[in-house]
Amino acid sequence: QAQLRESGGGSVQPGGSLRLSCEVSETAYSSNYGVAWFRQAPGKEREGIAFITTVGGSSLYSDSVKDRFTISRDITQNMVYLQMDSLTPEDSAMYYCAADPFISADRWLRSAEYGYWGQGTQVTVSS
């Protein structure tokens, strides 16, 4: 069973950067879970934006954040990070960390496939 906890959200001006952190329980880390970042803005559907496997480290991105965001993991700290650069107001949303031991790369965008979620951290991009 995995437990997730996000941190690092906040307010930033357009063009700025933020790094989100997701603390992943040791069980998930040792079992090669798939861990993803999702975001949801008011009135919009939850959107998958980045994915990584805890053991292999393979990563995937949505087109909306590709080349601006970077997902990474620190095995020694049981952490998954999302480095967000060149932020725009359209990136404002609640950001969630999600994990599952059975998620495959071809289904990573499907939020219903994830059994474990963090509580979310708010990101606001405005001038």
Side-chain angles (χ1 to χ4, degrees):
Q1 188 171 2
Q3 294 182 335
L4 310 172
R5 184 170 61 185
E6 305 97 332
S7 61
S11 296
V12 65
Q13 292 187 340
S17 298
L18 279 176
R19 189 177 80 158
L20 305 183
S21 300
C22 176
E23 183 178 358
V24 184
S25 64
E26 188 170 346
T27 300
Y29 233 98
S30 63
S31 302
N32 198 30
Y33 275 51
V35 180
W37 285 97
F38 283 78
R39 66 184 182 185
Q40 188 167 22
K44 294 189 177 181
E45 293 187 357
R46 189 165 293 191
E47 174 192 17
I49 56 174
F51 173 85
I52 195 167
T53 55
T54 54
V55 174
S58 301
S59 59
L60 296 167
Y61 297 92
S62 68
D63 289 342
S64 62
V65 305
K66 195 175 180 180
D67 298 327
R68 298 189 300 124
F69 291 9
T70 303
I71 191 170
S72 63
R73 84 225 193 279
D74 183 337
I75 296 174
T76 64
Q77 300 293 326
N78 290 358
M79 298 292 289
V80 173
Y81 302 103
L82 185 69
Q83 176 66 39
M84 305 187 296
D85 298 319
S86 302
L87 286 162
T88 73
E90 288 69 37
D91 294 314
S92 296
M94 184 70 79
Y95 282 69
Y96 298 91
C97 183
D100 199 90
F102 304 112
I103 193 73
S104 60
D106 62 335
R107 305 201 317 266
W108 77 272
L109 289 168
R110 304 179 186 180
S111 60
E113 299 280 342
Y114 293 83
Y116 305 99
W117 291 83
Q119 81 288 350
T121 185
Q122 179 68 39
V123 171
T124 302
V125 185
S126 69
S127 54

